[in-house]
Amino acid sequence: MTTVASSPESERSSPRGQVVIELLSSMRFAISLLTIICIASVIGTVLKQNEPTNNYINQFGPFWAELFATLKLNTVYSAWWFLLILAFLVVSTSLCIARNTPKILVDLKNYKENIREQSLKAFHHKAEGHLNEAPEAAAKRLGALLATGGWKVKLQERDTPSGKGWMLAAKAGAANKIGYIAAHSAIVLVCVGGLLDGDLAVRAQMWFGGKEIYNGGGLIADVPAQHRLSERNPAFRANLLVAEDTASGTAILNQSNGILLQDLPFVIELKKFIVEYYSTGMPKLFASDIIIHDKATGEKREARVEVNHPASFKGINIYQSSFDDGGSSVKLQAVPIAAATQSFEVEGTIGGSTDLTNGNEKMSLEFTGLRVINVENMSSGEGLNGTAVDVRKVDLRSSVEARLGAGHKTTQTKELRNVGPSVSYKLRDAAGQAREYNNYMLPVDAGDGVPVFLLGMREVPSEPFRYLRPPADENSELTGFIRLRAALDTPELRDRAVQRYARKAVDPKRPELTQQLADSAARSLGLFAGLEQVQGKPVSGLQALADFLEANVPEAERPRAGEMFVRILNGALYELDAVAREQAGVKPLPDAQVQGFMTQAVLALSDAPFYPAPMTFLLKDFKQVQASVFQVARAPGQSIVYLGCALLILGIFAMLYVRDRRLWVWLSPQGEGSQASVALSSNRKTMDVDREFDQLSARLLGRSEKTP
């Protein structure tokens, strides 16, 4: 016979599969996965998800945009590595449950009544006492007493040298171990529900079903079938925009590099969209009255969809997501900023565009947005009327009061006011470059008593709008400013204004100063209009006067010379406005409005050359059509996630607030009575356990005598 001896190393070594299972089911592996998921969730919260690539390039630059796309940080929750981590977490937690649940179930059934009486002396919580009853009678009485306190009890009879002894084993708090199973099962259910409700089903159809992302244009009805998902798609979450008095049955799933279309088994018709606003201009309530048309049966069902109050049809939930413009019609008037441009009117629809020509120059006017309500903060230092703050001012009383009282009290005063409708549009040149404009329909009084038109412009969407603020005339129109702007570019009108100003400003007794003042006024107007170059560069506006003084006037005399130049410029511009009004047959500006109008006109004329378009478009009339943005979702994992959340709450509550306790009472014969030894164990050492043991030993033994 041949005996094959195995080495101790081979006996201790475990199969490779067992090692992998040990790793996957270990607590450290699960915690590592949860840490990565938490970090990824933070990234997904901070970084906007599923935005167009150009938005990331504009905000972060090409390098970071490419890095985000490579690591899928712009689509964290649908990234392959995020889904893989979730899958590993499900496997790890499931293995952990599979390994420990049998042990927990066995432990729940086991009273551990076979413990030796000598072992009770090793417990931290232990006590001894003498009972006047026989061991059997004492065991039954104590068992009944513990049962009334919620303990589960089991009795065992043993033979001892002195006679029959009884071991009483009791347990309580078994829900603590059930909580362990519930909490870990909850993690599995939540992850499985998340995988089901994610875009895993959509990706599977793209991988195995031949579906492709669509990044073209055109009508939704013309999109080919390979870019559409079936009505039987088991899980999706898409957006659906429906304008008032229209219907749609095709939703859009936004992807990082395009879209997918999701056909719905029904059509949503929007009858009416309702929106209410707070005084701050924020929406207080928006809801949609809809009619759901079943494609299969033709059934019609009316419903109202509000925020946090969705409608449901055929297992698909319809949520009120937001609202948008549904194709409002607008009428714009082109107002010339440059003198050579003629005024005209143009009509269009929000979301549409029209072509414009200016000689050989061709542009496209794109109507991008209409806002009927614009609530602005008109207080000093904020909003449209922002002013500088005197940092030298010290007001101790105001500073202390501003920091006392209610927690929501702020140190800034707000004056909110609705300043009326506004329209936004883009002017795109032949090369495809576009600038975005935002103009308010009505003149706005920013607090200084002079109503101005707000003409906003920005180069890229990431920048705030910069506003040109021409003053409104006595008819609340921009005509007065445009007339003055054109007169500034007309030599004949400038000469007439200069001569008139010189005659009025010079004392009739000193006529020899008339021509000298006229020359100074002509020089001021010429510099302001940009007719001269200063230090070899073209410049206009107030900057031209400043550069001229810096180049030609000694530094010590500049304040006095500057004051004189500004006074002459203001007088000449006033006469220029009067001359322009006379030529147009318009009455002079009322005296109460002269100073405010001219002050703001000087500032606007100085900034006008920097306006990048020869014209601006003012909103003359509009007809608003609102649209509702719905989120439609088929979420088979929603119930699973809810169940997982309930189990998680119960499991954590059980593990934190329920203590698993074991109690043993050994009763051995002693004379006519019995000697009792009591011991208690708990999974958590707290002061409550100490107090509970003192109470138990007092009830069971009639006194509390702890053995040191």
Side-chain angles (χ1 to χ4, degrees):
M1 179 180 292
T2 304
T3 302
V4 180
S6 60
S7 64
E9 289 78 5
S10 62
E11 293 179 358
R12 289 194 299 264
S13 63
S14 57
R16 183 173 300 177
Q18 185 67 24
V19 174
V20 173
I21 293 177
E22 290 285 344
L23 173 63
L24 291 177
S25 60
S26 65
M27 180 70 71
R28 288 175 295 179
F29 185 73
I31 291 177
S32 301
L33 294 178
L34 283 173
T35 303
I36 298 175
I37 290 175
C38 291
I39 295 174
S41 300
V42 170
I43 295 174
T45 303
V46 175
L47 184 66
K48 289 185 177 181
Q49 299 291 290
N50 296 313
E51 290 284 312
T53 304
N54 290 337
N55 289 7
Y56 297 108
I57 295 176
N58 293 335
Q59 187 173 0
F60 301 101
F63 172 78
W64 291 106
E66 184 178 357
L67 181 64
F68 294 159
T70 303
L71 299 179
K72 303 295 183 182
L73 297 181
N74 56 337
T75 55
V76 167
Y77 303 113
S78 60
W80 63 267
W81 53 266
F82 187 82
L83 298 178
L84 185 63
I85 292 174
L86 283 180
F88 268 113
L89 182 60
V90 170
V91 173
S92 175
T93 312
S94 300
L95 288 175
C96 186
I97 295 174
R99 289 182 59 193
N100 293 281
T101 298
K103 301 177 183 178
I104 293 175
L105 296 178
V106 170
D107 189 62
L108 290 175
K109 297 178 180 179
N110 188 5
Y111 286 81
K112 299 183 179 180
E113 69 277 9
N114 294 320
I115 190 172
R116 295 184 304 168
E117 59 272 18
Q118 295 297 326
S119 301
L120 300 181
K121 298 180 180 180
F123 282 82
H124 176 71
H125 295 95
K126 55 184 180 294
E128 294 182 354
H130 181 77
L131 300 178
N132 296 325
E133 302 167 281
E136 181 178 0
K140 293 180 179 180
R141 181 181 65 82
L142 295 180
L145 182 64
L146 289 173
T148 59
W151 292 78
K152 293 183 178 181
V153 182
K154 187 174 183 180
L155 302 178
Q156 183 188 59
E157 184 182 11
R158 297 181 184 178
D159 293 326
T160 64
S162 58
K164 296 289 185 179
W166 286 80
M167 174 63 75
L168 185 151
K171 62 180 181 179
N176 178 269
K177 289 184 169 58
I178 300 297
Y180 173 88
I181 299 176
H184 285 71
S185 300
I187 296 176
V188 175
L189 292 175
V190 170
C191 291
V192 170
L195 289 172
L196 291 177
D197 288 351
D199 65 345
L200 192 60
V202 176
R203 287 184 171 273
Q205 295 180 63
M206 293 173 61
W207 292 335
F208 309 110
K211 300 300 181 180
E212 300 176 358
I213 292 178
Y214 181 72
N215 50 20
L219 299 177
I220 290 180
D222 298 333
V223 177
Q226 64 267 26
H227 307 298
R228 294 176 175 270
L229 301 177
S230 169
E231 296 177 0
R232 297 184 298 274
N233 186 10
F236 61 85
R237 191 175 296 272
N239 294 321
L240 179 67
L241 186 144
V242 185
E244 287 181 323
D245 296 326
T246 64
S248 178
T250 304
I252 296 176
L253 281 78
N254 292 317
Q255 304 293 315
S256 59
N257 55 345
I259 63 171
L260 287 170
L261 299 184
Q262 174 63 58
D263 291 326
L264 302 175
F266 52 82
V267 173
I268 298 178
E269 178 185 357
L270 178 62
K271 298 301 294 180
K272 185 178 180 181
F273 179 76
I274 303 134
V275 58
E276 298 177 3
Y277 295 91
Y278 290 105
S279 60
T280 59
M282 296 295 293
K284 177 172 61 176
L285 166 71
F286 48 95
S288 302
D289 291 334
I290 63 173
I291 299 178
I292 304 175
H293 302 264
D294 191 345
K295 291 181 179 180
T297 64
E299 176 190 356
K300 296 182 180 180
R301 174 181 158 190
E302 294 186 359
R304 167 169 281 204
V305 182
E306 299 181 18
V307 177
N308 298 327
H309 294 85
S312 181
F313 191 78
K314 287 193 170 182
I316 298 177
N317 293 325
I318 305 171
Y319 300 93
Q320 181 70 64
S321 177
S322 62
F323 58 93
D324 205 341
D325 192 276
S328 302
S329 59
V330 294
K331 179 187 291 186
L332 306 183
Q333 180 181 7
V335 178
I337 296 297
T341 307
Q342 299 296 323
S343 178
F344 60 91
E345 289 187 354
V346 60
E347 297 183 5
T349 303
I350 300 299
S353 63
T354 185
D355 294 330
L356 303 175
T357 58
N358 185 17
N360 296 328
E361 184 180 0
K362 295 183 178 181
M363 292 184 296
S364 176
L365 173 62
E366 301 175 1
F367 307 93
T368 57
L370 171 69
R371 292 191 61 180
V372 178
I373 295 178
N374 289 278
V375 177
E376 300 288 351
N377 184 9
M378 311 302 293
S379 63
S380 178
E382 303 238 1
L384 302 173
N385 190 34
T387 57
V389 178
D390 186 1
V391 297
R392 300 168 297 174
K393 180 180 179 181
V394 178
D395 189 343
L396 181 60
R397 179 177 179 180
S398 299
S399 300
V400 172
E401 290 180 350
R403 288 160 176 80
L404 296 178
H408 66 275
K409 183 172 65 177
T410 64
T411 59
Q412 298 175 342
T413 303
K414 291 185 177 181
E415 181 186 344
L416 302 176
R417 190 167 79 241
N418 180 18
V419 296
S422 66
V423 63
S424 58
Y425 61 90
K426 289 182 180 180
L427 284 177
R428 191 177 302 275
D429 58 22
Q433 300 297 320
R435 291 186 178 94
E436 187 176 3
Y437 298 83
N438 184 56
N439 295 344
Y440 287 79
M441 183 179 184
L442 304 175
V444 178
D445 185 355
D448 52 8
V450 183
V452 297
F453 285 90
L454 300 174
L455 311 179
M457 188 279 301
R458 62 184 178 185
E459 299 285 347
V460 294
S462 59
E463 294 180 354
F465 282 103
R466 294 172 290 145
Y467 287 92
L468 178 66
R469 306 186 182 198
D473 58 18
E474 67 276 14
N475 299 319
S476 297
E477 297 178 352
L478 199 57
T479 307
F481 175 78
I482 298 302
R483 185 191 306 116
L484 181 58
R485 178 77 174 85
L488 185 62
D489 291 336
T490 306
E492 296 179 359
L493 296 182
R494 287 201 310 270
D495 292 340
R496 288 173 55 186
V498 165
Q499 295 300 327
R500 180 182 293 190
Y501 168 71
R503 288 195 303 269
K504 290 183 177 181
V506 173
D507 189 350
K509 298 179 180 179
R510 304 184 64 182
E512 68 277 4
L513 298 179
T514 302
Q515 188 59 40
Q516 182 179 352
L517 183 58
D519 292 341
S520 298
R523 189 68 179 274
S524 298
L525 277 182
L527 288 169
F528 190 78
L531 302 178
E532 299 184 27
Q533 290 189 353
V534 181
Q535 297 180 346
K537 61 180 181 179
V539 66
S540 62
L542 296 175
Q543 186 62 44
L545 296 181
D547 292 347
F548 176 81
L549 293 175
E550 184 178 356
N552 298 279
V553 178
E555 184 176 358
E557 301 179 8
R558 288 175 192 169
R560 181 172 174 274
E563 183 180 353
M564 180 191 67
F565 258 98
V566 171
R567 188 183 303 114
I568 293 175
L569 175 65
N570 289 335
L573 285 174
Y574 172 76
E575 297 299 334
L576 182 63
D577 180 69
V579 169
R581 286 174 173 270
E582 290 176 2
Q583 187 183 45
V586 181
K587 295 181 180 180
L589 195 67
D591 294 339
Q593 301 180 17
V594 170
Q595 183 177 358
F597 178 85
M598 293 306 302
T599 299
Q600 189 61 43
V602 171
L603 298 176
L605 289 172
S606 179
D607 294 337
F610 299 101
Y611 197 76
M615 69 190 77
T616 190
F617 291 89
L618 295 182
L619 180 63
K620 302 301 294 182
D621 195 10
F622 64 89
K623 180 180 179 182
Q624 187 184 24
V625 178
Q626 300 193 100
S628 185
V629 180
F630 301 104
Q631 185 180 85
V632 289
R634 177 179 282 154
Q638 181 176 358
S639 301
I640 299 177
V641 171
Y642 287 160
L643 176 60
C645 292
L647 288 179
L648 185 63
I649 294 173
L650 294 176
I652 292 178
F653 182 85
M655 289 191 295
L656 292 180
Y657 297 102
V658 178
R659 299 188 306 274
D660 182 24
R661 292 106 65 204
R662 299 275 181 165
L663 179 70
W664 294 271
V665 180
W666 169 244
L667 300 168
S668 59
Q670 188 181 56
E672 296 181 356
S674 58
Q675 178 68 24
S677 298
V678 181
L680 176 72
S681 70
S682 175
N683 65 329
R684 193 177 296 113
K685 294 182 179 180
T686 62
M687 296 179 63
D688 292 336
V689 177
D690 298 337
R691 190 180 305 111
E692 182 181 21
F693 180 72
D694 292 340
Q695 295 173 355
L696 284 172
S697 60
R699 292 178 62 191
L700 298 177
L701 304 179
R703 60 187 177 86
S704 179
E705 181 182 348
K706 292 185 179 180
T707 304

